[in-house]
Amino acid sequence: MFRKLILAAIVAASTPSFAQTTVTPDAPAARCLLASKSFSPGATIRASSAVNVCGADGNWTLTEQTSSGCFFADAFYSVGSTSAVSGSKTLTATCNADGTWSTAAAATAG
């Protein structure tokens, strides 16, 4: 029985193998950088004096689209997010669709 197993192993090892093609992975999509954040192509953000879109080549270009959010202190906030204004207990900031922040009186606890 042991001889048959060894013989089968030798026969299986000596059979010709077929060539295999190497699969190359798709090239990763370019990413746009802003501050210390990375954005996918198609992302819109106020990266200059206007809203910009991340292109497939990894570069920012001007767009007429609305922004997907705002930056503050190296953090990204989506449109509509609110944040306390530094040094003020009476103001909150809201991220606008054009990528800017607007301030308003903070809601008072009642």
Side-chain angles (χ1 to χ4, degrees):
M1 181 67 172
F2 186 66
R3 287 183 187 173
K4 289 181 183 178
L5 289 174
I6 292 176
L7 184 59
I10 291 172
V11 170
S14 64
T15 57
S17 59
F18 296 102
Q20 296 179 355
T21 59
T22 314
V23 178
T24 56
D26 293 334
R31 306 211 23 109
C32 298
L33 300 175
L34 180 63
S36 62
K37 307 292 182 230
S38 175
F39 293 89
S40 300
T44 55
I45 190 72
R46 189 175 187 101
S48 64
S49 61
V51 176
N52 293 269
V53 62
C54 175
D57 60 355
N59 292 313
W60 292 104
T61 55
L62 292 175
T63 183
E64 296 291 322
Q65 299 174 350
T66 59
S67 177
S68 57
C70 302
F71 267 103
F72 179 70
D74 204 28
F76 180 75
Y77 297 85
S78 56
V79 172
S81 296
T82 58
S83 177
V85 174
S86 300
S88 174
K89 295 182 181 182
T90 60
L91 292 175
T92 59
T94 302
C95 175
N96 299 317
D98 66 353
T100 60
W101 290 93
S102 60
T103 56
T108 56

